[in-house]
Amino acid sequence: MRLTPAQIDTVKAAVARHFGPAARVALFGSRRDDDRRGGDFDFYTETDLTDADLLFDRKLKLLADLHASPAFADEKIDLLVRGQLPGPWPPIYDIARREGLPL
């Protein structure tokens, strides 16, 4: 996994702040692989939120917090957030859930 301890702490704290302590977050995509280079940060988060507007608002605030942190300054971050809303969900959500490494 190509994340520093500071990046892991930053992500976990920000997810808990915006989605609560029960929310889960995982890293998926190219940063999972220690042998690869470069790539953006792909995070998958699951939360128990059921309000679509609140989910969207908190997702934007989480992204803003991550981009404002020194750990992710000038980095590209992709964030998938899955709440307790009826589907269907795009296939990337299943891939992220299946292949993501929990933080």
Side-chain angles (χ1 to χ4, degrees), residues 45-65:
T45 301
E46 287 186 353
T47 176
D48 59 0
L49 290 179
T50 59
D51 182 294
D53 291 332
L54 186 58
L55 190 74
F56 184 72
D57 180 65
R58 291 190 183 179
K59 177 182 176 176
L60 292 178
K61 288 179 179 175
L62 171 57
L63 278 170
D65 274 2

Side-chain angles (χ1 to χ4, degrees), residues 11-26 44-49 58 81-84 97 102-103:
V11 171
K12 288 170 65 174
V15 167
R17 189 168 45 254
H18 293 286
F19 292 106
R24 294 177 297 218
V25 62
Y44 172 77
T45 301
E46 287 186 353
T47 176
D48 59 0
L49 290 179
R58 291 190 183 179
V81 179
R82 185 172 187 161
Q84 300 302 309
R97 183 182 218 188
L103 302 184

Side-chain angles (χ1 to χ4, degrees), residues 2 27-33 36 40 42 95-96 99-100:
R2 290 183 296 127
L27 176 72
F28 71 102
S30 63
R31 292 259 177 185
R32 289 181 60 235
D33 187 346
R36 294 181 71 178
D40 58 352
D42 299 304
I95 293 167
E99 296 179 3

